[in-house]
Amino acid sequence: MIKALGLTGELPLLAAFVILALYTYSAGLRAPALIAFVKDLMIYIVVLVAVIVVPAKLGGYGAVFDTARDVFAKKGGATGLTLKPAQFLPFATLALGSALAAFMYPHTLTGVFAAKNANTIRKNAVFLPAYTVLLGLIALLGLMAYAAGVKVQTNNDVVPALFNGLFPSWFTGFAFAAIAIGALVPAAVMSIGASNLFTRNFWKPYVNPNISHEGEAKVAKIVSLIVKLGALVFILFLPTQFALDLQLLGGVWILQTFPALVFGLFVSWFGARALLCGWAVGIVCGSWLAFSDGIKPVHTFTLGGDKISLYTGLIALAANIVVVVIANVVLGSGSRPALRNA
């Protein structure tokens, strides 16, 4: 988006890093929380206008889908835009596993723990499906770009180029602002979640147990800056595919904390040592399957003459849970509940 305004080279990334660093260091979690209202309103306006106006200018949704289908066919892809029957199960398991993993990430828990009360979380959960529909509408912009004949050097430039070509400058500026704010809010919460996780679970227990609340805040701010700087280094000096692979592996890995977090909180029968054993098996199993498949999101089993493809993270989670149950039976009641006695 910043590149579309005329900044080239690494300047867009550096500008985004500086904005994000100042944005979170000065105000912490309050900044993304307050600006999230503006972000949601702006994105809703931009997307709703786009899904109405853009197809109208391109000859309707029929023309959009026909053009996208033809482009995919020329690239050697599927003849249609819908999933084939063999893709139903891998897609469903990928969606389920990704949904479970999303709630395990530290930044998700940061938002939950920072909520005013339980009723606030309930209200947000009610509107979450509407936001999910919005994400689906955003995905349509990629198909519209094919119909509009957008030509770009990188995939990240598709949406800015689409708005530049089809909308007046004032609305394009509004859309770019919405995209920028929409990126800053989750990035801010992610860096804050990572820094809080480090401060509360490593720095305080092992480095400075007597640290004050002010000291914790200072350490968290510094770590948050380091996390942002690390992300910038990854983007500047490592291939884009590396970031995509790390995102895929991150989903597989973080999903293995599901039994420890959920079972540990709600089922007192499971003990800490059993949950740790299951986590270790899940990490090893998921990593091995992912790397053996060339870091692909699904793994294929051959049963008889049939091939069954499932999300790698869910396969590892199943192994994780089986080991947890077996280890808990073997270890007996001597293995204390993991989180209730923490």
Side-chain angles (χ1 to χ4, degrees), residues 280-291:
V281 170
I283 290 291
V284 173
C285 176
S287 301
W288 180 77
L289 289 176
F291 280 104

Side-chain angles (χ1 to χ4, degrees), residues 87-125:
Q87 296 173 316
F88 291 167
L89 183 59
F91 180 83
T93 57
L94 180 59
L96 175 60
S98 299
L100 295 176
F103 288 96
M104 300 298 105
Y105 282 103
H107 59 271
T108 303
L109 296 179
T110 297
V112 172
F113 292 148
K116 181 179 179 180
N117 50 46
N119 196 42
T120 300
I121 300 175
R122 295 189 185 97
K123 289 180 179 178
N124 279 272

